[in-house]
């Protein structure tokens, strides 16, 4: 069972959250080349190890945040509000 | 290869079963091969078998980092069927089901194909529309599909709660009579033995750690048992597809997710049909050992761990008890997980990668066991002829960029939603 640290509510059971996938993707400009759009929509690094991913605290504060989690072990490394660095320092 | 038959079994019984030889050799890897297949699951072994059998290519190695069949082939819930809606899927999986029907004879190995029927339950008017539409599409494609009423289901599966007061009322169901189960380990062993007999080297405990590429073409592999030169490499590594393709600089439209399954304690025959419910995300069958084999959803987060968490187990068991209240007396014996190669449209990728000489069969999501014979067959064709066969023409990697996705569920580009 994963205990997920919501940056706003603290540690909560995984059943309160919904998964949102890879948090490192950056949306291309609207008029970017179609191949860049295809890469953004479909291709993933899918790392075996630490993965930065979006989660949604649906049964809590209803916020999206970023979680760094190891995909080999499910160990949780860090979490932060979207747009803030994962190591806890302020930008 | 020592042929298995009733006569050889009788001779063995008389001689105390001492005459049996190994089912396949355990050779040292050679320095070069015409073709190397990465991954000794069902798909890799079937690819090697059909390369030798259908195309006469016998300088073939299958490299497996662990032991053959130790990946998803030995972890899945063994359901085979071909009741897909979209034409390319329907034709491909029906070809696979036809291969299953003759596979024990083809391989001279009993894979225990059991055509016990796969029943998809219908719980709502929307389910009903979808089931009838898919059933009609199947019949137009020449695939068996039969609608059963609630009364017919209640007669066929007496343990199922078909009463109007059920938590998930059953309005009917779509049955594929030729669907059923196959013994998963036997598929790996049967293909391995038959491929070995045709000269294929099956090399276990040999992990591929690098792919050598020169001027856009494959020249060889780096492995934990030395370098191997080859100009043709087929990747069949299921949940590790992204990692192995990345060794050649290729990014894939795939995420790895964990899927769990579980079994009850063994009991006498109680369930002779595979029963599934899309609405409650649940499926169940009874193994030949007597265990009830159950599964449901993904865990819904990226994972390479080959194990999952408790909430999914709880939801699978809750669904089971809602449909089969009498199973509440049973104990759960074991649960386990496997790493799924989930694609962005829920359909597989079988074809060439953008490096000359490199192909893959993967992206099987949670339904690739049933595809094993057809996947090996078309993958071998693509490797041997450097071209796609009509059966895998729709399953190319390029389909994503070209907007030709095969989204059976209509879920959009969210791999964990398929
Ligand atoms: C719980 C569960 C239930 C399922 N139920 C069903 C079902 O009912 N019906 C169905 O049709 N499908 C089902 N599936 C899906 C099915 O199991 C898979 O799609 C299918 O078995 C994939 O076969 P494969 O040969 O590609 O993979 P695998 O059997 O996983 O083989 C891949 C092999 O590649 C090896 N490998 C990986 N990386 C390397 C490397 N670098 N070097 C060398 N070797 C490597 C691995 O060790 C592994 O043995 C289920 C899966 C799971 C986990
Ligand atoms: Zn919160």
């Amino acid at each position: 069972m994963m205990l997920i640290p919501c940056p706003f509510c603290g540690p909560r059971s995984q059943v309160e959250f919904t998964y949102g996938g890879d948090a490192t993707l950056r949306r291309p400009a609207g008029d970017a080349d179609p191949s860049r759009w295809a890469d953004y929509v479909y291709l993933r690094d899918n790392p075996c190890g630490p993965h930065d991913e979006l989660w949604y605290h649906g049964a809590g504060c209803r916020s999206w945040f970023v979680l760094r989690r190891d995909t080999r072990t499910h160990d949780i490394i860090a979490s932060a509000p979207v747009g803030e660095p994962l190591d806890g320092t302020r930008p | 290869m020592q042929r298995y038959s009733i006569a050889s079994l009788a001779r063995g019984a008389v001689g105390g079963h001492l005459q049996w030889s190994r089912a396949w050799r355990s050779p040292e890897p050679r320095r070069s091969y015409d073709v190397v297949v990465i991954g000794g699951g069902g798909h890799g072994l079937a690819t090697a078998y059909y390369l030798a059998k259908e195309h006469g290519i016998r300088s073939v190695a299958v490299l497996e980092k662990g032991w053959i069949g130790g990946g998803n082939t030995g972890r899945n819930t063994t359901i085979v069927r071909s009741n897909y809606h979209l034409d390319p899927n329907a034709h491909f999986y029906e070809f696979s089901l036809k291969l299953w029907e003759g596979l024990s004879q083809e391989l001279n190995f009993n894979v225990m194909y059991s055509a016990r029927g796969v029943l998809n339950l219908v719980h709502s008017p929307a389910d009903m529309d979808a089931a009838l539409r898919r059933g009609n599409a199947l019949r137009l494609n020449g695939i068996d599909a039969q609608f059963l009423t609630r009364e017919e289901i209640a007669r066929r599966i007496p343990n199922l709660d078909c009463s109007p007061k059920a938590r998930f009322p059953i309005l009917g169901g779509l049955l594929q009579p030729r669907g059923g189960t196959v013994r998963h380990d036997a598929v790996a062993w049967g293909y391995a033995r038959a491929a070995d007999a045709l000269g294929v080297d099956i090399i276990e405990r040999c992990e591929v750690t690098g792919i050598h590429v020169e001027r856009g073409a494959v020249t060889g592999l780096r492995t934990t048992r030395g370098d191997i030169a080859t100009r043709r490499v087929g990747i069949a590594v299921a949940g590790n597809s992204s990692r192995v393709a990345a060794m050649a600089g290729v990014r894939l439209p795939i995420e790895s997710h964990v899927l769990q399954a579980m079994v009850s304690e063994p009991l006498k025959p109680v369930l002779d049909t595979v029963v599934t419910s899309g609405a409650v995300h649940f499926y169940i069958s009874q193994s030949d050992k007597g265990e009830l084999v159950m599964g449901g959803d993904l865990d819904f987060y990226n994972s390479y761990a080959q194990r999952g968490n408790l909430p999914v187990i709880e939801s699978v068991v809750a669904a089971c008890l809602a449909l089969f209240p009498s199973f509440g007396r049973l104990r759960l014996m074991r649960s386990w997980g496997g790493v799924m190669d989930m694609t962005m449209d829920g359909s597989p990728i079988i074809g060439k990668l953008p490096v000359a000489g490199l192909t893959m069969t993967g992206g099987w999501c949670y339904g690739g066991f049933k595809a094993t014979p057809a996947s090996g067959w078309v993958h071998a064709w693509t490797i041997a002829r450097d071209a796609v066969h009509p059966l895998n023409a729709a399953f190319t990697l390029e389909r994503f960029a070209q907007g030709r996705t095969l989204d059976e569920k209509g879920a959009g580009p969210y791999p964990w939603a398929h």
Side-chain angles (χ1 to χ4, degrees):
Chain A
M1 190 83 164
M2 292 195 293
L3 200 57
I4 296 182
C6 171
F8 308 103
C9 311
R12 297 291 186 91
S13 160
Q14 69 178 90
V15 298
E16 297 186 9
F17 299 86
T18 305
Y19 186 59
D22 191 336
T24 65
L25 302 168
R26 291 293 165 264
R27 194 183 172 87
D31 58 358
D33 189 71
S35 69
R36 290 208 37 221
W37 270 99
D39 288 2
Y40 166 73
V41 174
Y42 295 115
L43 300 190
R44 298 292 179 266
D45 288 338
N46 192 21
C48 179
H51 186 229
D52 290 358
E53 51 199 27
L54 292 164
W55 285 82
Y56 175 64
H57 195 185
C61 61
R62 300 215 229 150
S63 302
W64 285 94
F65 62 96
V66 181
L67 187 73
R68 182 170 294 163
R69 197 179 51 90
D70 193 318
T71 60
R72 284 168 305 193
T73 58
H74 305 158
D75 284 344
I76 287 159
I77 301 158
S79 71
V82 174
E84 288 186 22
L86 275 158
D87 57 12
T89 59
R90 298 276 149 187
Chain B
M1 182 175 87
Q2 231 174 350
R3 277 194 73 78
Y4 298 152
S5 67
I6 187 81
S8 72
L9 194 63
R11 272 198 306 280
V14 173
H17 289 297
L18 296 173
Q19 92 284 23
W20 303 109
S21 55
R22 300 181 65 108
W24 58 87
R25 297 163 298 132
S26 181
E28 282 300 310
R30 295 209 304 262
R31 305 306 295 274
S32 78
Y33 289 94
D34 287 351
V35 179
V36 176
V37 179
I38 310 176
H43 289 246
L45 294 163
T47 301
Y49 170 73
Y50 291 114
L51 275 169
K53 164 88 188 314
E54 302 285 333
H55 306 281
I57 302 176
R58 294 179 178 220
S59 166
V60 178
V62 178
L63 308 183
E64 165 54 49
K65 71 174 174 186
W67 63 94
I68 62 164
N72 291 340
T73 299
R75 292 165 184 269
N76 80 89
T77 46
T78 78
I79 300 165
V80 302
R81 58 186 176 87
S82 64
N83 52 3
Y84 282 77
H85 187 143
L86 299 176
D87 284 347
N89 282 332
H91 294 311
F92 175 82
Y93 286 105
E94 177 61 11
F95 179 69
S96 206
L97 194 54
K98 286 185 175 143
L99 290 177
W100 283 123
E101 288 173 323
L103 199 64
S104 294
Q105 285 72 24
E106 164 91 20
L107 300 178
N108 180 235
F109 199 98
N110 188 0
V111 298
M112 299 167 85
Y113 163 59
S114 159
R116 59 184 66 185
V118 173
L119 177 67
N120 308 140
L121 297 175
V122 162
H123 298 286
S124 68
D127 269 3
M128 182 75 90
D129 289 347
L132 293 177
R133 174 166 172 258
R134 185 158 52 89
N136 285 328
L138 287 169
R139 293 173 83 129
L140 286 172
N141 272 325
I143 299 169
D144 57 327
Q146 205 180 321
F147 189 79
L148 301 189
T149 62
R150 182 169 71 97
E151 292 69 28
E152 286 167 327
I153 293 174
R155 265 198 305 280
R156 184 176 171 130
I157 305 168
N159 314 304
L160 191 60
D161 186 357
C162 291
S163 68
K165 300 200 315 289
R167 170 71 182 83
F168 300 105
I170 290 164
L171 308 184
L174 190 65
L175 178 76
Q176 181 173 31
R178 287 157 61 243
T181 57
V182 177
R183 168 101 200 270
H184 50 10
D185 296 324
V187 174
W189 300 335
Y191 272 120
R193 172 171 168 271
D196 176 272
L198 294 173
V200 171
D201 282 357
I202 294 160
I203 299 161
E204 296 175 285
R205 297 181 308 285
C206 179
E207 179 168 0
V208 173
T209 54
I211 300 178
H212 302 306
V213 178
E214 277 170 37
R215 273 181 248 110
V218 171
T219 58
L221 298 172
R222 191 168 67 234
T223 83
T224 49
R225 294 177 69 175
D227 279 12
I228 296 175
T230 182
R231 300 204 161 270
R232 283 182 285 181
V233 171
I235 302 174
V237 296
N240 286 292
S241 296
S242 300
R243 298 175 72 196
V244 174
M247 294 174 192
V250 178
R251 269 176 103 211
L252 295 176
I254 286 180
E255 281 183 13
S256 296
H257 284 254
V258 57
L259 180 70
Q260 302 191 71
M262 59 217 75
V263 291
S264 73
E265 58 191 314
L267 57 158
K268 290 194 173 165
V270 285
L271 184 63
D272 63 0
T273 303
V274 179
V275 179
T276 82
S277 166
V280 298
H281 302 277
F282 173 73
Y283 60 90
I284 186 166
S285 66
Q286 187 171 22
S287 76
D288 293 312
K289 278 193 286 182
E291 305 145 326
L292 294 171
V293 185
M294 293 172 263
D297 269 328
L298 295 173
D299 269 36
F300 297 123
Y301 44 80
N302 285 42
S303 174
Y304 284 90
Q306 291 200 121
R307 62 188 152 77
N309 273 300
L310 284 172
V312 166
I313 298 178
E314 194 177 4
S315 83
V316 167
V317 170
C320 175
L321 298 192
L323 295 173
F324 295 92
S326 62
F327 294 166
R329 306 270 298 274
L330 295 173
R331 277 165 299 190
L332 213 57
M333 293 287 279
R334 279 181 295 126
S335 71
W336 64 91
V339 185
M340 308 283 83
D341 34 344
M342 301 299 299
T343 58
M344 286 287 172
D345 63 357
S347 296
I349 300 165
I350 326 169
K352 301 204 264 179
L353 295 179
V355 172
L358 192 63
T359 60
M360 75 174 279
T361 179
W364 288 106
C365 303
Y366 33 63
F369 177 69
K370 69 174 95 71
T372 305
S375 157
W377 198 93
V378 297
H379 192 208
W381 173 289
T382 296
I383 293 171
R385 313 217 174 180
D386 197 29
V388 288
H389 184 272
L391 281 169
N392 62 327
F395 297 119
T396 57
L397 176 62
E398 295 79 46
R399 74 174 182 271
F400 295 93
Q402 293 166 346
R404 294 186 293 108
T405 53
L406 287 169
D407 190 345
E408 189 84 20
K409 201 171 166 188
Y414 303 97
W416 58 88
H418 290 281

